[in-house]
Amino acid sequence: MNGLSKMKKMKRKEQGWIWRERFGIVCLILTIISLSIAITINFRPLYVLDIDRLGILDYVYLDKATLLKNFDQLMNYLNNPFNHVLQLSDFPSSKSGAFHFYEVKRLFLLCYGVLLVTIIPSALFVFRLIKSKRMWRLIRPFQWGMIIPVFFGALMAIGFDQFFVAFHGIFFNNDAWLFDPATDPIINVLPEEFFMHSFILFFVLLELFFFLGIVVGKRELKNI
């Protein structure tokens, strides 16, 4: 009876670890996704490069420094939960345009919220995997994770216009994102190509994080 009791106890313990491991993997993937988004949307050098690469200054009567000042004002509004008013020095906004940026702001803050909630459990989970030499458990889920950016990257390659429209259809339930340059001239300095480059950066970051996890896991397997 004692042997049977011990076996049941060990089985319950193993099942408990399996569920904790699954929860940890989900947390870690959410951390990776939200961290990749946070890095992407705050990677200012991308916009700085695109100003020249895409000839954005050709569409406005502003110099580069002034344009970047307005860009920073926009990002401050989108990132700062205590900044409730969208106010750009050189770009007026319509009611519809301001509402869209408000919706974007909510998505930004949701992303930061997910990152804050999951990053500590994820760090503890990774620490436990390292300590118990179970980093190899990340190999399979991360391999599946690497397929996702490839799939969406293929959709982008087929037609970014359709991808971009579908993206807005999923995350916004209105057409406020369809800016009129006459009332929301900010759209002239936020070309579609810039968003395409942002998506590419996001997918590259995802691939790098997942690839790193796979490499560490496989290296550990070799040493077992």
Side-chain angles (χ1 to χ4, degrees):
M1 289 294 290
N2 287 337
L4 184 61
S5 177
K6 285 182 179 180
M7 286 179 62
K8 288 182 178 180
K9 189 175 181 180
M10 288 176 62
K11 188 175 181 180
R12 284 197 299 268
K13 187 176 181 180
E14 181 65 23
Q15 288 176 339
W17 166 248
I18 290 172
W19 281 107
R20 286 195 298 272
E21 188 174 80
R22 289 174 180 173
F23 175 77
I25 290 172
V26 170
C27 262
L28 184 55
I29 290 175
L30 287 174
T31 297
I32 289 172
I33 293 173
S34 56
L35 179 60
S36 298
I37 294 173
I39 293 173
T40 299
I41 60 183
N42 288 287
F43 192 66
R44 189 174 184 266
L46 178 61
Y47 187 69
V48 174
L49 289 172
D50 271 353
I51 289 176
D52 298 321
R53 186 186 297 120
L54 303 177
I56 293 176
L57 291 177
D58 295 339
Y59 300 96
V60 288
Y61 296 102
L62 300 173
D63 58 30
K64 191 172 183 178
T66 304
L67 176 57
L68 285 172
K69 181 184 73 172
N70 284 267
F71 179 78
D72 291 339
Q73 289 171 342
L74 174 60
M75 293 307 298
N76 179 265
Y77 168 75
L78 295 176
N79 282 321
N80 187 349
F82 303 106
N83 186 349
H84 303 293
V85 180
L86 174 62
Q87 190 169 3
L88 307 179
S89 299
D90 301 281
F91 293 95
S93 295
S94 68
K95 185 176 180 181
S96 175
F99 177 69
H100 176 65
F101 281 124
Y102 166 71
E103 290 190 306
V104 173
K105 179 187 181 78
R106 289 196 304 179
L107 289 177
F108 277 28
L109 297 181
L110 174 62
C111 170
Y112 297 144
V114 171
L115 180 59
L116 288 173
V117 168
T118 61
I119 193 167
I120 293 178
S122 294
L124 293 173
F125 174 63
V126 170
F127 175 77
R128 186 165 184 177
L129 286 179
I130 294 172
K131 188 176 180 181
S132 59
K133 298 187 182 301
R134 291 173 68 95
M135 284 294 289
W136 59 270
R137 294 289 292 171
L138 298 177
I139 294 175
R140 184 61 64 192
F142 276 22
Q143 285 175 333
W144 281 105
M146 288 189 74
I147 295 174
I148 298 173
V150 174
F151 171 74
F152 285 110
L155 293 180
M156 285 174 53
I158 293 171
F160 184 74
D161 288 345
Q162 295 90 332
F163 177 86
F164 198 54
V165 170
F167 170 82
H168 283 84
I170 292 171
F171 289 98
F172 305 100
N173 61 355
N174 54 66
D175 59 359
W177 65 277
L178 295 170
F179 282 24
D180 180 353
T183 56
D184 291 287
I186 187 69
I187 195 61
N188 291 323
V189 296
L190 294 173
E192 192 173 283
E193 291 87 347
F194 166 65
F195 293 106
M196 180 178 68
H197 296 158
S198 297
F199 275 108
I200 292 172
L201 174 60
F202 167 64
F203 290 141
V204 168
L205 288 171
L206 275 184
E207 291 287 274
L208 287 174
F209 282 128
F210 286 137
F211 179 72
L212 178 62
I214 292 170
V215 169
V216 172
K218 287 186 175 182
R219 185 171 297 174
E220 185 183 79
L221 270 181
K222 291 180 179 179
N223 297 325
I224 294 178

